[in-house]
Amino acid sequence: LGAFFLGYIWTQIPGGWAASRFGGVPVLTAGVSACSVLTLMMVVVGNDVWPLAGLRMLQGLSQGVIFPSAVAIMARWAPVKERARLMSGTMIGALFGTVIGLTMSGAMCAIRRLYGWAGWQLLFLLHGALGIVWSGLAAALLHSTPADDPSVTAEELTTIIRDMDEPVSATGKVPWAQILVSGPVWGIMCAHFAFNWMFYNFLTCMPKYMQDILHFDTQASGLASSAPYLAMSAVSFTGSALADWLTNRGVAPVLVRRAFISCGLMGASSVLVCLSYQTDPKVCIPLLIAGIGLLGLTGGAVQCNMLDISPNFAGIMMALPNAFGTIPGFVTPPLTHSIAASGLQSEWQTVFYITWFVALAGSGIHLCLSSGEPQTWDRVVEATSRRLSGRSMSEDDALSVTLRGRSSTLIF
């Protein structure tokens, strides 16, 4: 289970750079296509552990480019006022994919009882085929920038570009030294690490918990394991709307981010500690849904905080915390399976208490280091870009732009 994340961690930053250099759509479709082909190959490998682990690591390498490239696409398409909702929408889409995947996995593995081989093999075949079909459609229909999309009218293009507020460095240099020693960056990275510790742990190990403590079979555990992620999607959607409502009414963004991240991490981990003392499925399932659901407050807030402190380096701000947050992906599965090797309730209590302490550390560090304002190293690029362009964003400057032979007038 952890082999996937051993590969996933290495392509985060290269994926963000490649998306900036070659466009987000080619990188995104290449990553999904490669992962889909590797998924099909798992049918051939079967139960051979080491080749299977190798394929999982290669899948991690291919999927590591997906989120940075998706952010690169949104940075070019989404006006500033709509980015928070799009970030939340991206997270909800990933969660719905988790729900569908877990539900399908439980159902298809149950087929094995009826048709022998056609259980888990069918699962990999279907997922791989769907990924290849999606990649083909995405390559044909998606465009990395609005200017590349022939279906975008001149008026729409004018609106998108006019509402952008993301200066681009003429030198293309990233202030790595300042970013890597920035306190707010490390605050976000630690909060994201704690979030992923819980998310990855339960994504990979929850079916085992369902079988050990609640004595669910494979199909039932697949269905029950998917329910918390539906709750997480709902909380993420409503939480992002509440966060926007608070900031639009004058509450400092940093206070909103701190509150949502702390409530999400500590609320979720505390509920899960309570869960560890229960064995009745009628009590455990609601607690599990509530605990994982509360993580929806944290996920959206962490992503928005990335844009708060560095709107000009949104791709890098996604790649760095995501790379650091991948560490729990290959640490928690073997750690959890070693602690809960016998499937005893006391062993799972230890797992949940470790999760609580990680959440406490992540939220505490974020509270101490976080900021809601663009950092000085982010403003340097903005100032440089404006000097080189010879224009001030505060001036009423009419700029005539011709793209793909279409002329439109933009007012800055």
Side-chain angles (χ1 to χ4, degrees), residues 5 74-75 155 223 226 286 290 292 398:
F5 299 101
M74 286 192 292
E155 292 76 17
L223 292 170
S226 65
I292 302 300

Side-chain angles (χ1 to χ4, degrees), residues 117-152:
W117 74 274
W120 62 267
Q121 292 95 335
L122 181 61
L123 179 66
F124 288 123
L125 289 172
L126 181 59
H127 285 179
L130 287 175
I132 291 174
V133 171
W134 182 92
S135 299
L137 292 174
L141 301 176
L142 298 183
H143 299 274
S144 297
T145 67
D148 295 330
D149 191 342
S151 66
V152 175

